[in-house]
Amino acid sequence: MSTDLSPTRPGTDSARELLRLLRENAASEEYQSLLDACPPGEAAWLRPLVEDALHVRAQLEERRRREDELAALYETAGDLSSLRDLEAVLQAIVRRARELLGTDTAYLMLHDTQHGDTYVRTTDGIRSDAFKRARLAMGAGLGGLVAKTAVPYNTPDYLHDARFEHTLDDTVRAEGLIAIQGAPLKLGLNVIGVLFAANRGARPFSDHEVALLVSLADHAAIAIENATLFQEVQRAVDDLTEANAVIQAHSASVEQAASLHERLTSIVLHGGAMADVAQNLAEVLGGSILVLDPAGRVMAAVGTDPVVEQAREGGSLPAGTPAARAVREACVLSAESRRTRRIPGAGTNASACATPIMAGTEVLGSLALVRDRLDACDVRSLERAALVTALMLLSERSVAEAEHRLRGEILEDLLGAAHRDLEGLRRRAALMGLDLGRPHTVLAARCRGGGHRRTVADAATAFAGHAKGLAGEYRGDVVVLLPGEQDPAATARSLADHLSATVGDPVTVGGTSAAEGVDALVAAHRDALQCLGVLLALDRDGQGASPDELGIYGLLFSQAGREELLGFVRRVIGALLDYDERRGGELVRTLLAYFACDASLTRTAADLFVHVNTLYQRIDRVTTLLGPQWRHGDHALQVHLALKVHSVLSAH
């Protein structure tokens, strides 16, 4: 009689308590307390569940943190656009900068056009009066360099950073500032000041903190411009009552621009799509709107202009017509110059205005307006819309990158790990919609040379989504898992066609079917990967196939078949292989080119970039090694086949 010493499965109370901790975002100590309170046998079963729960909790906290930062930035943009008093705007900017980045201080320097330098205008967290009165020459210090180059800079230890011309070290040292970052306040090509965030301790600033300060600086520049324009309007009303009509029109344009900015920000805050941004722009500006990605593909199109309608139907700007060329030129020039460009003649009595969608120095696309008449207010509104559009694209990219990373982790755990925790793996896979208990079709895709990997992965994800499958990058290739029993060969061909059309280069796909279970998926992936390698070795780029379609090369999928093929290769062309290995020759490569060129010596010499006399010498050497019959009938077929099999075997 034996005693069962296996761990006891957790009771309903423990499972319910674990779910409560996850739901309430409890501290990690409470999870440990739950384990400590369980009997030893039950704790052994509960421990992997707790580890999974902590992993999910950490991911949720990271996503929540990013969402909180974006929400705070959107809220800041809305608050700034609603303020009209310049002092209130400036104070709100530095206060928000300090809150968003969690730094000890924040301050703002503005450009003094009369003196040609910059001066501290507003501070938050600064203690010394000397710092609040500081002035900085253009190009001097971190702030002067940002103001001069219009490029963000940051340093974990300013006083010991040799990149900057140190002119205010005593003032900075007295204030106790060490880590400083600055972002330019830009209006078009003009830098009107610099926004800083600084700490009194040494620490580097992360990329997302830099991007956050740059985005806030962009909104701050617009808010300063709005407040400045509003004050100018108010002064003009007080001083020049006779110009009341002009002032009212100008004030209305500023209000319209601010209202548009608030409207677009509200769209982003409520999770609107790119089409909503384009629709609101078209309604406010009264024209046709195009949103294009860096490759010129249409992300959104709204309006009745013929060029816009054709772009919406075709997915990209049409070619040939003067109107289309004008819109394309405006978009291309704006992306290249990173500034707004206006091109007349986009249609009948219409003009095109395009502005780049920027995130820091990266161009995310172009925003184009096509309308009969364009004024400066329209241009400013379009530029503000581009900022909001950039925020939306960055948010979408952040979500997409998180999902891409999770898919890669699942594939790594599924195909590369030792599968010691199968239950945990099944649970994580289920969170991604993958049921490991069902049969799957497994496909491996690759673009020769490893290029376009991310683009291939994104296109494969869209393909897999239609079948409720999963796709992601795994060790240099893109792997696709499709649930259900499908024809692997037909599916591989369909996926290869889809990926090649999307990427613009041939993408090769190998596919096979797997029975239920993790081990079956791993084996199927190995076969799909080997099938992919055979296709590439046979120069069948851009095609899809399963092992059953490889003919004699299908023998490679069994050890016995590989040994038989190796013996065949040695019998037929072993003398050539030995010669090339001893002498460093190229007889095998020469014969492969010879058969590929249909035995034409002239074409073969050109393909190999050798003189025809050199080719004759190599052919004579082959005849000496294989005998004169190698070029005729079945002997030629045997030699050609042995060469191809050797190429495939060498690739594995």
Side-chain angles (χ1 to χ4, degrees):
M1 180 175 180
S2 61
T3 301
D4 185 5
L5 299 178
S6 62
T8 305
R9 289 184 177 272
T12 304
D13 292 341
S14 298
R16 185 179 296 111
E17 179 65 13
L18 178 59
L19 290 176
R20 184 190 68 77
L21 293 177
L22 184 59
R23 180 176 63 253
E24 296 179 0
N25 195 29
S28 56
E29 292 79 5
E30 296 188 45
Y31 288 85
Q32 185 60 43
S33 299
L34 175 62
L35 284 174
D36 295 339
C38 292
E42 185 175 332
W45 281 98
L46 192 60
R47 190 173 304 279
L49 297 178
V50 170
E51 292 175 353
D52 289 343
L54 288 173
H55 179 70
V56 171
R57 174 179 172 274
Q59 290 182 323
L60 291 176
E61 286 182 349
E62 175 63 15
R63 182 171 296 179
R64 197 155 37 237
R65 182 186 67 78
R66 290 183 176 274
E67 290 174 350
D68 290 344
E69 287 182 350
L70 287 174
L73 184 58
Y74 298 155
E75 181 182 355
T76 299
D79 290 346
L80 293 179
S81 64
S82 63
L83 294 174
R84 294 293 177 266
D85 180 73
L86 182 58
E87 289 296 330
V89 168
L90 297 177
Q91 195 60 50
I93 290 170
V94 294
R95 185 180 68 253
R96 286 287 191 172
R98 187 181 178 189
E99 292 173 355
L100 284 176
L101 277 80
T103 55
D104 297 328
T105 67
Y107 54 100
L108 187 147
M109 300 186 76
L110 293 180
H111 178 51
D112 189 333
T113 55
Q114 292 183 347
H115 294 85
D117 60 0
T118 59
Y119 65 99
V120 176
R121 181 64 171 80
T122 309
T123 67
D124 191 46
I126 295 296
R127 302 164 182 167
S128 65
D129 291 334
F131 197 101
K132 296 177 181 179
R133 297 191 301 269
R135 302 186 73 92
L136 198 60
M138 297 293 287
L142 187 149
L145 189 59
V146 173
K148 181 178 180 180
T149 63
V151 175
Y153 279 87
N154 68 88
T155 175
D157 190 353
Y158 172 78
L159 293 175
H160 298 92
D161 197 326
R163 293 179 298 168
F164 311 113
E165 179 183 350
H166 293 265
T167 58
L168 292 175
D169 284 10
D170 292 340
T171 304
V172 174
R173 187 179 295 107
E175 184 60 34
L177 299 184
I178 298 177
I180 306 174
Q181 70 160 321
L185 300 168
K186 295 190 294 186
L187 291 176
L189 295 178
N190 299 321
V191 177
I192 63 171
V194 181
L195 178 61
F196 297 87
N199 282 304
R200 293 189 172 91
R203 76 166 180 88
F205 291 96
S206 64
D207 291 341
H208 86 268
E209 287 177 317
V210 174
L212 195 60
L213 187 65
V214 169
S215 296
L216 179 59
D218 290 338
H219 284 286
I222 294 172
I224 291 172
E225 182 193 34
N226 284 342
T228 302
L229 290 175
F230 188 83
Q231 287 188 349
E232 290 175 356
V233 170
Q234 293 301 315
R235 285 195 298 268
V237 169
D238 294 337
D239 299 336
L240 302 170
T241 56
E242 67 276 10
N244 184 59
V246 176
I247 295 173
Q248 286 183 346
H250 185 61
S251 178
S253 69
V254 173
E255 291 293 339
Q256 176 187 340
S259 174
L260 175 62
H261 190 69
E262 293 176 1
R263 190 170 176 178
L264 295 178
T265 303
S266 176
I267 292 173
V268 178
L269 284 172
H270 291 86
M274 199 67 63
D276 298 322
V277 174
Q279 182 65 45
N280 276 268
L281 268 177
E283 291 174 359
V284 173
L285 300 180
S288 296
I289 299 294
L290 271 174
V291 186
L292 305 176
D293 67 10
R297 294 184 292 265
V298 175
M299 291 190 284
V302 174
T304 58
D305 185 86
V307 174
V308 175
E309 290 181 341
Q310 293 174 36
R312 182 169 56 244
E313 295 173 358
S316 61
L317 281 172
T321 66
R325 285 196 296 271
V327 176
R328 185 186 303 276
E329 182 181 358
C331 292
V332 171
L333 290 176
S334 71
E336 290 178 348
S337 62
R338 288 169 166 74
R339 58 181 295 184
T340 304
R341 300 302 295 261
R342 298 171 62 177
I343 303 294
T348 305
N349 299 322
S351 298
C353 178
T355 190
I357 303 171
M358 303 283 295
T361 58
E362 181 184 3
V363 178
L364 303 178
S366 300
L367 187 61
L369 167 65
V370 181
R371 211 179 71 174
D372 290 347
R373 290 180 301 277
L374 298 173
D375 55 30
C377 180
D378 298 328
V379 175
R380 284 196 299 271
S381 297
L382 198 65
E383 291 172 344
R384 292 180 177 86
L387 288 174
V388 177
T389 305
L391 284 175
M392 178 179 290
L393 291 175
L394 286 175
S395 177
E396 292 176 352
R397 176 193 288 181
S398 177
V399 173
E401 288 179 350
E403 293 178 349
H404 180 79
R405 184 172 59 255
L406 287 175
R407 288 193 295 269
E409 291 174 356
I410 287 292
L411 289 174
E412 182 65 38
D413 291 344
L414 175 63
L415 303 176
H419 310 308
R420 296 184 182 90
D421 182 14
L422 292 178
E423 288 301 322
L425 176 59
R426 289 189 178 95
R427 286 191 298 273
R428 292 196 300 275
L431 292 175
M432 299 296 295
L434 191 64
D435 183 0
L436 299 182
R438 296 182 60 188
H440 284 77
T441 297
V442 183
L443 305 113
R446 186 189 308 163
C447 187
R448 188 181 291 275
H452 308 294
R453 189 184 307 163
R454 183 59 189 270
T455 305
V456 172
D458 291 342
T461 299
F463 183 91
H466 295 301
K468 301 187 182 303
L470 182 140
E473 293 184 44
Y474 175 70
R475 299 187 181 181
D477 294 318
V478 174
V479 177
V480 180
L481 305 180
L482 301 178
E485 297 180 358
Q486 306 180 40
D487 181 354
T491 306
R493 285 191 290 272
S494 178
L495 178 59
D497 292 342
H498 171 73
L499 297 180
S500 298
T502 303
V503 173
D505 283 321
V507 180
T508 311
V509 180
T512 187
S513 296
E516 302 174 2
V518 174
D519 292 338
L521 279 174
V522 173
H525 170 257
R526 185 169 54 249
D527 288 346
L529 194 61
Q530 195 164 18
C531 179
L532 170 63
V534 171
L535 290 172
L536 291 173
L538 295 175
D539 294 326
R540 292 173 59 178
D541 295 51
Q543 298 184 26
S546 67
D548 294 339
E549 294 184 317
L550 296 179
I552 190 173
Y553 302 109
L555 294 174
L556 294 170
F557 290 87
S558 67
Q559 185 59 35
R562 289 179 66 88
E563 292 176 356
E564 184 177 344
L565 288 174
L566 282 169
F568 167 73
V569 170
R570 292 299 308 173
R571 286 195 305 273
V572 178
I573 61 170
L576 297 183
L577 299 176
D578 294 340
Y579 180 89
D580 279 355
E581 184 175 357
R582 286 195 316 270
R583 304 288 186 89
E586 294 189 345
L587 297 184
V588 171
R589 189 170 76 92
T590 299
L591 283 195
L592 281 170
Y594 173 79
F595 284 114
C597 294
D598 299 326
S600 170
L601 296 177
T602 303
R603 288 167 51 197
T604 302
D607 186 67
L608 294 172
F609 298 102
V610 299
H611 194 275
V612 69
N613 290 338
T614 301
L615 179 61
Y616 278 124
Q617 293 172 5
R618 293 182 183 179
I619 295 297
D620 290 342
R621 176 61 61 184
V622 171
T623 301
T624 300
L625 294 171
L626 301 184
Q629 73 281 4
W630 74 269
R631 302 172 69 173
H632 306 290
D634 289 341
H635 291 290
L637 177 61
Q638 293 275 338
V639 171
H640 190 191
L641 184 58
L643 290 167
K644 297 295 288 185
V645 171
H646 171 69
S647 298
V648 174
L649 291 172
S650 299
H652 295 273

